[in-house]
Structure formats: C-alpha cells, structure tokens
Amino acid sequence: MKFLKIAGSCVNQTPLDWSGNTRRLIQAIQEARNQDVDILCLPELAISGYGCEDTFFSHFLIEQAERELLKIASVCNNIVVSVGLPIVHENCLFNAVCLIQNCQILGFVAKQDLAGDGIHYEPRWFKPWDANIVTKHQIAGDSYPLGDLVFEIDGVRIGFEICEDAWNGVRPAQKHYLNNVDIILNPSASHFAFGKTAIREKLVTEASRSYCCTYVYSNLLGNESGRVIYDGEILISQNGSLLARNNRFSFQEFQILSTVVDVIGIRKFRKKSFNFKPNLNISLIQGNAPLESKKYRFDINNQKDYSVSFETKEEEFYRAEILALFDYMRKSYSRGYVLSLSGGADSSVCAVLIAKMIEEARKELGDAVFFERIKYCRLATDKPLIQQLFLCVYQATQNSSDQTLQSAYELASGLEAEFYNWSIQPQLDNYHKMVEDSYGRKLNWKDDDITLQNIQARVRAPGIWMMANLRSALLLATSNRSEAAVGYATMDGDTCGGLAPLGGIDKAFLIQWLKWAEESLKIPQLHYVNSLQPTAELRPAEMTQTDESDLMPYPILNLIERHAIRDYKSPAEVFYALRGITNDNTLKNYIRKFFTLWARNQWKRERYAPSFHLDDKNLDPKTWCRFPILSSSFVEELNTLDNLI
C-alpha cells in the first residue's frame, strides 16, 4: 500500500505585496512540512496576487514574480509544492502554476479556460493555453517543461485543473483520467457568492468519483483587492468521498488542511470504471526524487463525514462581511471606520458588522496577533479599543424623530462605539437662506420636494468627512442594492464614503438580517430599529414618509430587478412573469417606475463607492452590469404595458 499526506492551503494575499505574499507562502510551506505533508497545493496566482488588474501588463511584475518563485522553490526541501504565478511565454501572458519538488522546479502548467464573465476579466490579460502544446519555458536561464503536463513522482501521477478549467463541460480532468492520474490539484481564486460552497463540494466530490482520483481544491482567502471576497475554502476528496474540509472565512493569514490518501485505493477504484481507453499522448514529467517514506494509518471506510449542513444566507453574509471589512481596513491602512448612524436599517447593519469584525478577529487571532496586524493604527492604551476603531454620529434635522435617535443611541451604546449626536439644522438653515435670497422666493415642499430632501443629506456629508479625516479612518457609505437599482440616494450625501459594504445586498434581506442578528448575535438593542418602518426622514413628520411609499414594496422591487436586470427581460415579460403578486394596474405602475428610474440613474451607479461582491449577479457597472448612462429610458417598451391584458 502507498499512503500520502496531501494538503491544500488558503492564503490571504495582496496584489503586488511581494515580500508579504512570499512570506506567507513560505510560512504555509513550512507549516505543511512540519505536519509531514507530502504534496501541498497553494492557490491560483498566489505569488503576484489575483487582482493585479492591468498591472499584469507590466514587465516588472513578471520579472518580480519569477524572482519570488525562485525564493519559494529554495525552501521546498522534502515536499512537493504547487504555486500559481503569471508567466510570459512567446510574448503572451499566461496564468500558470509551477510544480516544485525538493527545491527543484519540475515544470509549468498554464490555464486553458479563462474566467471572463461577471467580475472576472482574465481574457483581458491572459491567453488560454492550447492543451495540445508542450514546450520549454525559461526562467533565470534554465529551461523547464510547459504545457498540459502530467507529473510522475515516485510512481504517483499528478495533474492540474486551474480554477475555471474545472467549471466547464470539457475539462483537463477528462484527459487526466485517460492518463491514469492519481491526484488532481486545483489551485483557485474563486470569488465568494451565496450558496457557492455547496456547488464547490459537488464539483470536487463528483470529479474525484468520475475521474477516479484524489482531488485537492485550494482557494484564496480574504478581501484581496477591494471588491472580491475569497472564503478560503479547501476541499479534499477521493473516489467520490469528501475526506477533509476547512472552516471558511478565517482571519488567519493562511490555513493548512491535510489528510492521508491511499494511492492504491484510488487505482482499485479506477479498475472498476467502464469503457476505459488509455491516452497514448501523455506528456509525462518525472520527479527528481522519491516521495519521503512515512508510516500512515488510513481507512477510507472510517473517515469522518465532511459534508456539512451549509450555513444560512444570514450566516454567510455575516462571515463574509466581517472578514472583508477587516482586510479592507488593514490593507488600506485605515485607522478604523466612521459611520453616519441614522438609526435606520442600513446604517445599523454597518454598525453591527464593524463592532463584530473587531470582536471576532480578536477572538480568533488572539490579542498579540490582532494588534500586530493593525499596529499601523498606533492605538492608545487608555481608551477602549472599539472606540478607537469605530466612531458613529447621529446627525439630526427638524425632520428627525425621537425614535431614530433612540435607535441610534441604544445601538451605539450596546456596541460600545464612540457616539456623537449633532444637530445640522443651523447649517441647513444657512443654505436655505442663501439660496432663497438668490432665487428670490421661499422654498416649499409642494414645488421643491427633491431639492429640500437632497440638501439635508448633503449637509450631513462635510462634518462626517471631517471626522473621518481627523481619525485617518474610512467613512462608510450605507447605500444598498435596492436603492442603487432605482437611484434612491442623494449623490454627495448619503452616498458619501470610501466603501459601500452593503452595495451588493437588497434592502429586504437587510431588514431580515437585522432580526436574525438581534437573536443570533445577541444584540437586544436592535429591537429599536427592528420596530421601525424604513424611512429617509427627509420630509416633515406630518408627511409620513417611508421608503416603500416613495418607491414600492421592497420584495416587489427586488423581483422586478431580478427579472429585468439579471434575466434581461422586457417590461412586458416582467409583467407576465410577476402577474398575480398584486393587481395588474399596480404592478404595471411599479414596472414603469423601476425601468424609468433604472435607466435615468445609471450615472449614480457609476459613482457609487466600491462595494463587496456577494452574489453571482450585482449592479456594479465596474464588475458586472454594464448599462449606458444615456438611453431612451425604455419609453417604447413601457408604452406596450398599456395594451397588455
């Protein structure tokens, strides 16, 4: 029998952070070696970082990545390691992985299928590798094999699928199966999306069953470059059984997940497969040393069941957001967060996430590591930690209510954040007088509704920006996805901020999440906001303004958005898809309002602060949803609604 200890590693990298990225990769390799790992799979483009964007075109990036590769190879004694990096071959850029054994580079495999949809833009930078080509690639004057290679080390065959390679109908694993590959390594940079872990588990376990192999999947970890969150998932499966999985969303710089696999067991399973026809065109690269002999005990029949009851959407949102906020803070060298806390749902969600980010990171990392990770903040010892990293301000006008003030105050107190209560009415009055004197008349709610609403939001911006500047902290914008869809936000007002952590999530879910957080996170102070009807509080109280009276019920807004934007349906098609959820005339009016506001407010979506990617469709024009700033606003399409019966 032949037993091997196989491991995957997730690593929290930063684009172009050469010393940091290499340090973390070397630490992961050393930890794997300490655990007697034979073969270690590190993530895709782990040396340079995945999110380098157009810097991939820079020649210095390729040269530096090669230098870092040689440093990493020099510490790979007594272990086989795969690590991802960009390479230039024949003046073309490729997304590649290098296999190293005993400090020697064995060869390179380049990605064949590039991710070019949604948030991914790989075809802009990289060329897909032709699976039929095997050639030589030079680094530092030495030549190494490059192509769709199979490596044989001490009789064990190893092949690769690089992230997107595995998500297509025709994939490298099919050829590996025909070439009797024992182990397939999948170094990935697979973005987080709700529910995606269940899809990944099926992808990995089915691949190991269909292609009669051990399959190792290793993802990146954390908020690497701003918008995209990586959950750091590691999965190891053999012959259709999931042997190991890690806990996602770790605050650690890296994780190692290992398990012992039975190579002979793989081959016995393969013998049972039907219609097996060997491929005689194998490009086989021999390793330079035998795998170190170790004594392992292994019985696949007694393995723990690693399939999980997957987290709820509320739990995934919580874990993804607090990890992303922690990484965004430290990688931007911000000394915490500043928030305009209105007492409403959106800002309350942000407040909870910031406070819990601090609590959860400190709990997992321990004080020594936590404070080392944010040492640039130069924290004082005589003031509570959360008050140094989190400031919130309630900014009242004469239209603000006692209920929202209480909601904001109680939540800030419960979270122990620093809190101020400001009145911005004097500044607002000054703007009114200045404009009225110039315009020659008094402003009134009948004729000047939008003007009077917007100025309140905009007057809130300068003071809160000042607080963020004074603290060298990051100001959060609280705009959500539902507001972005219809432009229900004041530019240079409530959209002010360097980051919009809720920009990818709809309002109906946020309201639901606050109720979950009150119970599950044990924050009783959320009772106050959970008892309120969402409102901008920009009109006088006697006008009883609510968000849904201004727009439409949020659940209906979200359904219209899903059909119109995600599924590219016309107004008539949306009407027939949603007919029955309310009376026909009301539904037609909601559809008219949505399409009109969507088209007219693209310019706002172009200006929103960066937001986190949370699902496999979003409205961010920079990463997913392209729409013209100027258009006909669907005039002809909306006119057809009148004739629908």
Side-chain angles (χ1 to χ4, degrees):
M1 292 185 290
K2 190 176 187 66
F3 298 121
L4 294 175
K5 196 167 192 180
I6 311 296
S9 176
C10 60
V11 189
N12 193 319
Q13 303 291 70
T14 302
L16 308 175
D17 180 16
W18 302 111
S19 59
N21 289 351
T22 297
R23 173 182 59 81
R24 286 181 286 271
L25 292 171
I26 289 176
Q27 288 176 338
I29 292 166
Q30 291 170 337
E31 175 60 30
R33 197 166 48 237
N34 291 340
Q35 295 182 22
D36 290 329
V37 167
D38 296 298
I39 301 172
L40 173 66
C41 178
L42 294 163
E44 178 181 10
L45 293 174
I47 291 178
S48 62
Y50 181 84
C52 294
E53 305 288 340
D54 282 359
T55 314
F56 278 124
F57 292 132
S58 300
H59 194 65
F60 80 86
L61 182 147
I62 305 302
E63 293 177 339
Q64 189 64 42
E66 291 178 352
R67 285 193 286 269
E68 301 303 324
L69 173 64
L70 296 177
K71 293 178 188 176
I72 292 165
S74 69
V75 303
C76 295
N77 51 301
N78 299 322
I79 190 171
V80 176
V81 175
S82 69
V83 62
L85 76 160
I87 64 171
V88 169
H89 183 77
E90 298 291 341
N91 294 319
C92 293
L93 184 63
F94 295 97
N95 179 344
V97 61
C98 176
L99 191 68
I100 306 163
Q101 187 201 14
N102 204 27
C103 302
Q104 298 296 312
I105 293 174
L106 300 184
F108 295 84
V109 175
K111 194 171 185 177
Q112 299 174 35
D113 292 290
L114 301 177
D117 61 339
I119 64 172
H120 297 290
Y121 213 176
E122 289 181 14
R124 179 179 176 90
W125 310 298
F126 301 108
K127 300 294 184 186
W129 186 263
D130 186 334
N132 297 314
I133 295 176
V134 175
T135 184
K136 292 287 186 178
H137 179 66
Q138 283 201 342
I139 289 184
D142 293 320
S143 293
Y144 304 97
L146 166 63
D148 187 16
L149 307 173
V150 172
F151 299 88
E152 186 169 270
I153 302 175
D154 201 15
V156 177
R157 291 189 175 182
I158 302 169
F160 284 92
E161 293 189 310
I162 305 174
C163 200
E164 186 72 10
D165 287 341
W167 294 78
N168 292 281
V170 179
R171 52 191 288 190
Q174 294 166 331
K175 183 178 176 182
H176 294 331
Y177 168 68
L178 297 177
N179 286 327
N180 287 322
V181 166
D182 301 299
I183 298 168
I184 297 178
L185 304 181
N186 185 332
S188 287
S190 176
H191 65 272
F192 165 76
F194 291 125
K196 195 173 183 181
T197 183
I199 300 171
R200 287 204 202 108
E201 179 184 305
K202 185 174 182 179
L203 180 84
V204 170
T205 54
E206 283 300 300
S208 72
R209 181 193 63 79
S210 299
Y211 306 119
C212 306
C213 66
T214 295
Y215 200 101
V216 182
Y217 174 93
S218 299
N219 199 15
L220 282 173
L221 172 64
N223 182 342
E224 191 214 36
S225 59
R227 287 183 170 88
V228 184
I229 304 167
Y230 298 103
D231 56 15
E233 188 155 52
I234 310 170
L235 300 168
I236 304 176
S237 182
Q238 179 172 307
N239 299 342
S241 297
L242 190 63
L243 303 183
R245 79 177 323 137
N246 66 328
N247 293 319
R248 299 184 299 153
F249 305 114
S250 173
F251 290 98
Q252 303 288 345
E253 291 192 312
F254 67 89
Q255 286 182 316
I256 301 291
L257 178 73
S258 64
T259 190
V260 176
V261 299
D262 178 7
V263 177
I264 303 303
I266 299 171
R267 293 169 181 171
K268 288 179 179 178
F269 187 78
R270 188 182 300 128
K271 289 177 182 178
K272 300 177 184 178
S273 65
F274 298 100
N275 300 323
F276 179 73
K277 297 179 181 179
N279 188 335
L280 302 179
N281 296 319
I282 183 171
S283 299
L284 196 63
I285 307 301
Q286 297 291 335
N288 54 24
L291 291 168
E292 186 175 341
S293 178
K294 303 181 181 73
K295 292 183 179 179
Y296 296 119
R297 291 181 177 273
F298 177 77
D299 182 357
I300 194 170
N301 295 317
N302 292 324
Q303 284 286 298
K304 175 183 174 182
D305 181 8
Y306 284 95
S307 60
V308 298
S309 177
F310 297 107
E311 299 99 329
T312 64
K313 185 176 180 180
E314 288 81 4
E315 292 169 325
E316 281 199 310
F317 171 77
Y318 173 60
R319 292 294 171 186
E321 285 274 350
I322 61 175
L323 175 58
L325 285 167
F326 182 67
D327 280 349
Y328 204 105
M329 179 184 76
R330 64 185 185 83
K331 293 183 181 184
S332 66
Y333 297 97
S334 300
R335 298 180 186 174
Y337 288 102
V338 170
L339 176 68
S340 187
L341 184 61
S342 69
D346 300 329
S347 60
S348 295
V349 171
C350 290
V352 170
L353 293 173
I354 296 167
K356 287 296 182 178
M357 168 203 77
I358 299 168
E359 177 185 319
E360 297 280 5
R362 194 174 180 183
K363 182 194 304 182
E364 180 180 347
L365 298 174
D367 280 354
V369 175
F370 176 84
F371 288 112
E372 174 64 23
R373 297 278 286 279
I374 61 169
K375 62 183 178 182
Y376 66 88
C377 290
R378 299 197 295 274
L379 299 170
T381 58
D382 59 347
K383 187 175 182 180
L385 172 65
I386 191 168
Q387 292 183 16
Q388 296 183 71
L389 295 178
F390 182 28
L391 164 71
C392 44
V393 181
Y394 180 85
Q395 302 188 74
T397 71
Q398 62 187 16
N399 297 325
S400 301
S401 68
D402 292 339
Q403 289 80 11
T404 55
L405 171 58
Q406 183 182 28
S407 174
Y409 171 77
E410 295 290 348
L411 181 58
S413 298
L415 299 175
E416 300 181 348
E418 190 164 2
F419 177 80
Y420 297 116
N421 177 13
W422 294 346
S423 172
I424 60 166
Q425 192 62 44
Q427 291 87 348
L428 189 59
D429 291 339
N430 286 338
Y431 273 105
H432 281 195
K433 184 178 185 305
M434 178 177 67
V435 172
E436 287 170 348
D437 288 348
S438 299
Y439 211 57
R441 70 168 175 84
K442 290 285 187 182
L443 301 177
N444 64 84
W445 285 100
K446 179 181 178 182
D447 301 313
D448 311 304
D449 179 79
I450 295 298
T451 301
L452 291 174
Q453 288 195 68
N454 283 349
I455 188 58
Q456 293 171 75
R458 292 191 175 110
V459 169
R460 290 185 168 107
I464 199 70
W465 268 122
M466 288 180 69
M467 296 303 289
N469 292 159
L470 285 169
R471 294 168 67 105
S472 296
L474 189 65
L475 177 62
L476 289 186
T478 60
S479 302
N480 62 65
R481 178 188 185 132
S482 301
E483 293 172 351
V486 291
Y488 189 65
T490 302
M491 298 310 297
D492 307 314
D494 51 320
T495 60
C496 280
L499 175 67
L502 309 183
I505 200 76
D506 65 84
K507 185 64 169 269
F509 175 78
L510 293 172
I511 294 170
Q512 172 185 325
W513 187 85
L514 282 169
K515 295 174 182 177
W516 174 87
E518 180 181 351
E519 297 297 325
S520 299
L521 302 181
K522 297 179 172 53
I523 307 175
Q525 295 82 6
L526 287 176
H527 164 74
Y528 296 95
V529 69
N530 285 335
S531 64
L532 297 175
Q533 178 78 6
T535 173
E537 278 197 332
L538 297 176
R539 295 192 183 108
E542 60 268 20
M543 298 179 73
T544 60
Q545 180 183 25
T546 68
D547 292 354
E548 292 188 323
S549 64
D550 282 353
L551 298 171
M552 64 190 78
Y554 279 118
I556 294 179
L557 191 159
N558 296 335
L559 286 172
I560 295 174
E561 183 230 299
R562 187 178 306 164
H563 287 281
I565 308 307
R566 184 195 68 181
D567 298 336
Y568 307 106
K569 291 179 179 177
S570 69
E573 290 171 324
V574 173
F575 172 75
Y576 285 123
L578 298 181
R579 196 173 196 177
I581 62 174
T582 186
N583 72 70
D584 285 0
N585 286 333
T586 300
L587 179 58
K588 289 178 182 179
N589 288 334
Y590 288 158
I591 293 171
R592 286 189 186 94
K593 178 177 281 189
F594 178 88
F595 274 91
T596 301
L597 292 176
W598 166 268
R600 292 178 182 177
N601 287 291
Q602 178 66 17
W603 68 277
K604 290 188 178 182
R605 289 186 290 276
E606 299 279 352
R607 290 188 56 202
Y608 280 142
S611 61
F612 298 145
H613 181 84
L614 295 167
D615 64 13
D616 271 339
K617 292 289 181 182
N618 67 43
L619 307 183
D620 184 353
K622 298 178 182 65
T623 62
W624 200 290
C625 188
R626 305 292 291 171
F627 190 82
I629 295 173
L630 301 177
S631 71
S632 69
S633 298
F634 300 96
V635 171
E636 293 184 37
E637 291 83 358
L638 290 173
N639 286 339
T640 64
L641 289 176
D642 295 329
N643 301 320
L644 299 182
I645 57 174

